[in-house]
């Protein structure tokens, strides 16, 4: 059984919502205030702040308050655990598919050799 990683769960939960992915996409272009991030979304600011808080709790963004504004930036290593997990899964499945390919090739070769 694979080791349970609650941090990875939080990251995938954060990525599982379109609004939060939109926020991350916008922040990939540079820092922004919560008001700037919320502008394209048709929802109340408290609801939008829930998305910001989930991203912050997952460690994907960092926020700081300056006066009445809250500024958001992408966390520098936010995607590293997700990328690492996906790379491991890619390697695992590539290995399995290579083994299956070898099995099928051997099976076909045996059929050709058997009159």
């Amino acid at each position: 059984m694979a080791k349970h990683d609650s941090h990875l769960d939080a990251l995938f939960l954060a990525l599982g919502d379109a609004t939060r992915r939109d926020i991350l996409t916008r922040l990939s272009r540079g820092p922004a205030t919560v008001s700037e991030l919320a502008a394209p979304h048709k929802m109340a600011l408290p609801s939008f702040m829930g998305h910001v808080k989930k991203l912050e709790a997952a460690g994907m963004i960092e926020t700081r308050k300056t006066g009445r504004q809250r500024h958001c930036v992408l966390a520098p290593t936010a995607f590293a655990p997700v990328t690492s997990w996906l790379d491991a899964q890619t390697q695992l499945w590539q290995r399995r598919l290579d083994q299956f390919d070898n099995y099928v090739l051997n099976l076909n070769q045996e059929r050709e050799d058997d009159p």
Side-chain angles (χ1 to χ4, degrees), residues 17 22 32 44 50 109:
D17 182 85
D22 286 347
Q109 186 63 45

Side-chain angles (χ1 to χ4, degrees), residues 3 25 31-32 35 41-42 54-57 66-67 76 93 107:
K3 184 180 99 179
T25 299
S35 297
H41 302 280
K42 295 182 187 317
K54 283 183 183 170
L55 288 170
E56 191 172 24
T66 306
W93 283 101
L107 192 60

Side-chain angles (χ1 to χ4, degrees), residues 18-20 22-23 36-44 48:
T19 299
R20 292 191 287 272
D22 286 347
I23 293 168
E36 291 169 335
L37 294 171
H41 302 280
K42 295 182 187 317
M43 68 177 70
F48 188 81

Side-chain angles (χ1 to χ4, degrees), residues 99-112:
Q99 289 171 347
F100 182 67
D101 190 43
N102 287 335
Y103 172 77
V104 170
L105 290 173
N106 288 336
L107 192 60
N108 283 337
Q109 186 63 45
E110 288 174 8
R111 286 182 179 170
E112 289 176 5

